[in-house]
Amino acid sequence: MATNSDDKLTDLEGAALAEFARMGPTTSYAVAASFRASPSEFWSGSAGAVYPLTKRLFERGLLSGALSAQGRRGRTDYVVTDAGKAALMDWLLDGGRAAGMGFDPLRSRLIYLDMVSASEREALLAQVETWAKALAQQQIWTDRPLAQSVHEAWMRARLNFLVDVTRIVQDALPPTRG
Amino acid sequence: MATNSDDKLTDLEGAALAEFARMGPTTSYAVAASFRASPSEFWSGSAGAVYPLTKRLFERGLLSGALSAQGRRGRTDYVVTDAGKAALMDWLLDGGRAAGMGFDPLRSRLIYLDMVSASEREALLAQVETWAKALAQQQIWTDRPLAQSVHEAWMRARLNFLVDVTRIVQDALPPTRG
DNA sequence: ATAATCATGTAATCAGTTACATGATTTT
DNA sequence: AAAATCATGTAACTGATTACATGATTAT
C-alpha cells in the first residue's frame, strides 16, 4: 500500500491545520482571516496562499471537506481528519524544529551594526524600542487568552533582548564611528 | 532617466549585501558559505539561492564584479558599489521592518499548546529547553565578536521567554488535559 | 594519487506574493 | 440602494529549495 504520509508539514501547513482544528468545521476564508489578524507580518493570509494550501491538505487526506448546503452560496467547511490530527501532533510536538532560531529582522540587522555610525545606531535602536513597546501593549487575541499571553511574553522577551543588546553594542563599539 | 531603485531589498538581499561589504571583494561562494555557517536554519546558503541573488544585485548596480585573473579558475570577486552601500544602509536602518515580529517556530506552536495533554506539553518544553541551552553555549562567530554577542543575547532572551512561557502555560492550563 | 574544498552554475519543483475576478449575503 | 464582508478561486510572477553537473585547486 502506498504510504501517503511521506513528508512533514511545513510550519504554515501546521499552523493552518491547527487553526482548522481550533475553529471546528470552518472555511479557508476564516483561516486566512485569522492569519491576517495575527500580529506576525510573516504570513500574509492571502487567498493565493491559503486556498492552494487547503487543497493540498485535503488531497493528502488531512482535511475532509463538507460543502454546507444552507443557502445557494458555495462554501466548504473543512474538518481535520484522524490522519490530520496525527500530522498536527507531529508538527506541534516537534521539539527539534521548535528549538530552531527562526527569523528575526532585528537580529539579522544587529550583527552588522558595526557598519554604521553611533548616531545612526542609536536612532535605529530607539525607533525599534518605540515600535516594540507599542506592539507589546496591543490586545490582539481577546478571545484566546493563551495566544495573547504567549504574544505578551514574546514581546517582553524581545524588549529585554533589545535592552541587553543596546548595552552590548554600547560596550563593544566606539562612540564615534565603527 | 529611469529610476532603477524601484523597491527595497529583501532581508536575504540585505544580509547578502552586508556580507559582501564586510568581507571586501569576495565571491558568491564565500557569502553562501557564511550563510551556511550561521546558526539560523532559515537561509540554506545554497548555490541555487545565492548565485541568482548575486546576479540580481549585480544587474541592479549594487554590486560590481571584477573577475580575478590569478590562475585559470573562473572566479568573480564582487565589490559593493556606492549605490549598493546606500541600499544597504536603507535596509540596515529600516526601523519599521526591524521592529517586525519575524518568525519563531516555538512561538508558532505555543499558541496551540492547549490542544495537547499536560505530559506532552511538558515534554515539548523540556526538549526545547535542552536544545536551546546547547545552542546558547555554542561559539559560532569566533572571528566576529559583535555577531557572537548578539547571538548569545538572543539565546538568553529566548531562554527567558521559555521560562516565562512555561510558567504562564502552567498557570493557564489545567494539569491534566486542555 | 586521492580526497576535500573552492567555485560556478542550472534544472525541476514548490510555495509564496500581489492583484484580479466573481458573485452571494449581510449590514447600514 | 449601497457598502461591507463572506467566500472562492486564478494568473503572473518571484524567489527559494534540493539535486545535479562540472571542473580547478589545495591538502593529505
Side-chain angles (χ1 to χ4, degrees), chain B residues 65-96:
Chain B
L67 41 140
S68 84
Q70 55 177 40
R72 263 182 310 293
R73 188 215 265 159
R75 172 197 168 103
T76 309
D77 287 272
Y78 292 96
V79 198
V80 180
T81 64
D82 286 347
K85 281 170 196 164
L88 174 54
M89 286 303 117
D90 278 352
W91 171 78
L92 189 51
L93 301 174
D94 187 336

Side-chain angles (χ1 to χ4, degrees), chain B residues 60-130:
Chain B
R60 284 166 69 181
L62 307 182
L63 287 178
S64 66
L67 41 140
S68 84
Q70 55 177 40
R72 263 182 310 293
R73 188 215 265 159
R75 172 197 168 103
T76 309
D77 287 272
Y78 292 96
V79 198
V80 180
T81 64
D82 286 347
K85 281 170 196 164
L88 174 54
M89 286 303 117
D90 278 352
W91 171 78
L92 189 51
L93 301 174
D94 187 336
R97 284 168 75 189
M101 295 198 42
F103 169 75
D104 187 90
L106 176 59
R107 189 187 67 213
S108 296
R109 283 165 175 81
L110 286 177
I111 63 173
Y112 304 114
L113 216 58
D114 51 355
M115 294 180 177
V116 305
S117 71
S119 57
E120 288 171 321
R121 195 203 302 159
E122 277 149 33
L124 176 67
L125 292 171
Q127 207 180 337
V128 172
E129 193 182 350
T130 304

